[in-house]
């Protein structure tokens, strides 16, 4: 089973600043990686799939990059609604594994 | 617009079974996989499996093999997830999630169903 490791566990950022989140796979998942955002008490929301393609309706300040084993989610200028937990997920193999999440909190 | 409406919260005793429903609207039900994902309190996301509503074919995470059954009723655009032999560590929020632009990506999510397992 492929293990997904996200870092850091918590990221403290001021509104308007840039946030960079990392996700590492224990073996290559090609570009079959998605990112989800979850705010408290809500269901997750798909942000990115195919490592770098924004899902429908996702603002341009969210961008994804990487392939193989190293991936990055960048939020260019944090808005108040972006403070949340972010999960990466592989879908290159079974089971479809999520990372443990990165919490982005207000600095 | 795509909507997934799940059934209400459940409280079950250890050893019992639970069946959660997910009613879909706003799209062609048979055109997209339906995934099930759970989240224990304060924990991360765990993928359980998917069902192809068109064929009824399923793919379950090995962890749940033998305990989970995913079915669908195309006449009422509803998917179901049944988990048997419940344990206390099955206490979680259970989400249905329709695939997005790619079948293995969870593009649209239901509101979640809280299942509590307690004696």
């Amino acid at each position: 089973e492929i293990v997904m490791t996200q870092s850091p566990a918590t990221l403290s950022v001021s509104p308007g600043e840039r946030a960079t989140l990392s996700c590492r796979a224990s073996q290559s998942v090609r570009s079959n990686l998605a990112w989800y955002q979850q705010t408290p008490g809500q269901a997750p929301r798909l942000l990115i799939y195919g490592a770098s393609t924004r899902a429908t309706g996702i603002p341009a300040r969210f961008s994804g990059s990487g392939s193989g084993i190293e991936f990055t989610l960048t939020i260019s200028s944090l808005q108040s609604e972006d403070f949340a937990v972010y999960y990466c997920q592989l879908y290159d193999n079974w089971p479809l594994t999520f990372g443990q999440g990165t919490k982005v909190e207000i600095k | 617009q795509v909507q997934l409406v799940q059934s209400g919260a459940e409280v079950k005793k250890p050893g019992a079974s639970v069946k959660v429903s997910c009613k879909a609207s706003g799209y062609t039900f048979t055109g997209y996989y339906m995934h099930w994902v759970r989240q224990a309190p304060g924990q991360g996301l765990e993928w359980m499996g998917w069902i192809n509503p068109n064929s009824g074919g399923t793919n379950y995470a090995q962890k749940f093999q033998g305990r989970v059954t995913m079915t669908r009723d195309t006449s009422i655009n509803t998917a179901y997830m049944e988990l048997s032999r419940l344990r206390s560590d099955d206490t979680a929020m259970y989400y249905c999630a329709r695939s997005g632009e790619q079948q293995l990506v969870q593009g649209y999510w239901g509101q979640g169903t809280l299942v509590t397992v307690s004696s």
Side-chain angles (χ1 to χ4, degrees), chain A residues 10 19 31 38-39 52 61 69 71 80 86 94 98 106-107:
Chain A
T10 303
S31 294
Q38 187 177 32
T39 52
S52 61
R61 65 180 181 272
I69 63 171
F71 300 88
S80 57
Y86 293 84
W94 313 114
F98 291 92
I106 300 174
K107 187 174 182 179

Side-chain angles (χ1 to χ4, degrees), chain A residues 80-104:
Chain A
S80 57
E81 61 268 29
D82 300 336
F83 292 95
V85 180
Y86 293 84
Y87 295 94
C88 62
Q89 181 201 36
L90 76 88
Y91 55 95
D92 192 63
N93 208 333
W94 313 114
L96 307 187
T97 306
F98 291 92
Q100 80 279 18
T102 290
K103 181 179 181 180
V104 177

Side-chain angles (χ1 to χ4, degrees), chain B residues 52-70:
Chain B
N52 179 341
N54 187 42
S55 66
T58 56
N59 188 347
Y60 303 142
Q62 188 169 10
K63 173 177 179 175
F64 300 101
Q65 290 273 3
R67 283 212 301 144
V68 71
T69 305
M70 296 178 188

Side-chain angles (χ1 to χ4, degrees), chain A residues 32 34 36 38 41-46 48-50 54-56 87 89-92 94-100, chain B residues 33 35 37 39 43-47 50 59-62 95 100-112:
Chain A
N32 295 319
Y36 299 84
Q38 187 177 32
Q42 300 298 312
R45 176 174 73 144
L46 175 67
I48 301 282
Y49 65 94
R54 275 190 302 277
T56 303
Y87 295 94
Q89 181 201 36
L90 76 88
Y91 55 95
D92 192 63
W94 313 114
L96 307 187
T97 306
F98 291 92
Q100 80 279 18
Chain B
Y33 287 11
H35 298 258
V37 176
Q39 186 171 37
Q43 302 301 308
L45 301 169
E46 184 174 32
W47 177 80
W50 54 250
N59 188 347
Y60 303 142
Q62 188 169 10
Y95 294 101
E101 287 85 346
Q102 295 182 347
Q103 290 285 28
L104 300 184
V105 173
Q106 293 91 71
Y108 299 87
W109 294 66
Q111 84 277 16

